[in-house]
Amino acid sequence: MNKYGNLLQQQWTAADPTYVSSLSDPTTHFAQMGERVQDEVQELTPSLEGTDPPGETYLQKVGRLNAARQQAEEIVLAEYQPPSVTPEPDEPEDWDEMSHDEQETWIRQNVPTGEQQDEMLQSLEARRLNRTIVLGASSEPRTDPED
């Protein structure tokens, strides 16, 4: 089994051990999957390598070719990943009508604590700050003598 087959077998075993145990021959299954990945990586890599730019040194070329291979691996392996164990919750239909506080409460109640929740809360806060800056910049300063 090649490195891709080993990697995928480890990932699938961790993500969905029931599926892996249901396979009649997991070793053959992941070995074949690894061969498909290797073939696809070899097929994709040349299109990502580009052409030799004038004056490119040997080390620059090695770096460019390695980067192209790694990018091809990333692209191809993404297609063979096990499904996510926890599906992302859909935002409610009235999300856009909800206040910032209501959206934050919904995220905290419906998204498991962790990296995904943190990212959603940061994105929400960034949108709030952006809205505040835009609204603040567009408002006219008050010139009432009564203030």
Side-chain angles (χ1 to χ4, degrees):
M1 183 179 317
N2 66 21
K3 69 178 184 177
Y4 305 119
N6 283 324
L7 175 66
L8 290 168
Q9 186 171 18
Q10 291 171 4
Q11 290 174 340
W12 277 86
T13 300
D16 194 352
T18 306
Y19 169 75
V20 174
S21 65
S22 74
L23 297 171
S24 60
D25 186 0
T27 303
T28 301
H29 174 80
F30 288 105
Q32 291 171 347
M33 191 183 286
E35 291 298 323
R36 286 194 305 272
V37 168
Q38 184 172 333
D39 291 345
E40 290 179 34
V41 167
Q42 288 175 344
E43 184 178 315
L44 180 59
T45 300
S47 65
L48 300 172
E49 289 174 346
T51 57
D52 296 349
E56 181 179 46
T57 68
Y58 171 76
L59 290 178
Q60 289 170 331
K61 181 172 184 167
V62 168
R64 180 174 51 82
L65 298 179
N66 283 336
R69 181 185 42 76
Q70 289 171 347
Q71 185 179 7
E73 288 175 345
E74 184 177 320
I75 291 167
V76 173
L77 283 169
E79 298 172 17
Y80 289 88
Q81 295 301 301
S84 175
V85 176
T86 55
E88 291 187 21
D90 292 330
E91 295 173 346
E93 289 181 25
D94 60 345
W95 179 260
D96 293 329
E97 287 81 38
M98 294 170 72
S99 71
H100 173 83
D101 291 338
E102 291 171 327
Q103 290 175 340
E104 182 177 346
T105 300
W106 184 91
I107 291 170
R108 291 188 188 284
Q109 292 175 346
N110 294 285
V111 179
T113 303
E115 188 175 323
Q116 182 184 7
Q117 185 187 79
D118 293 344
E119 288 174 7
M120 289 181 76
L121 290 170
Q122 288 172 358
S123 175
L124 179 64
E125 184 63 15
R127 284 196 309 270
R128 185 187 69 76
L129 290 173
N130 189 39
R131 236 177 293 146
T132 302
I133 291 169
V134 169
L135 291 174
S138 64
S139 67
E140 296 287 325
R142 298 186 104 200
T143 57
D144 275 1
E146 298 173 15
D147 286 344

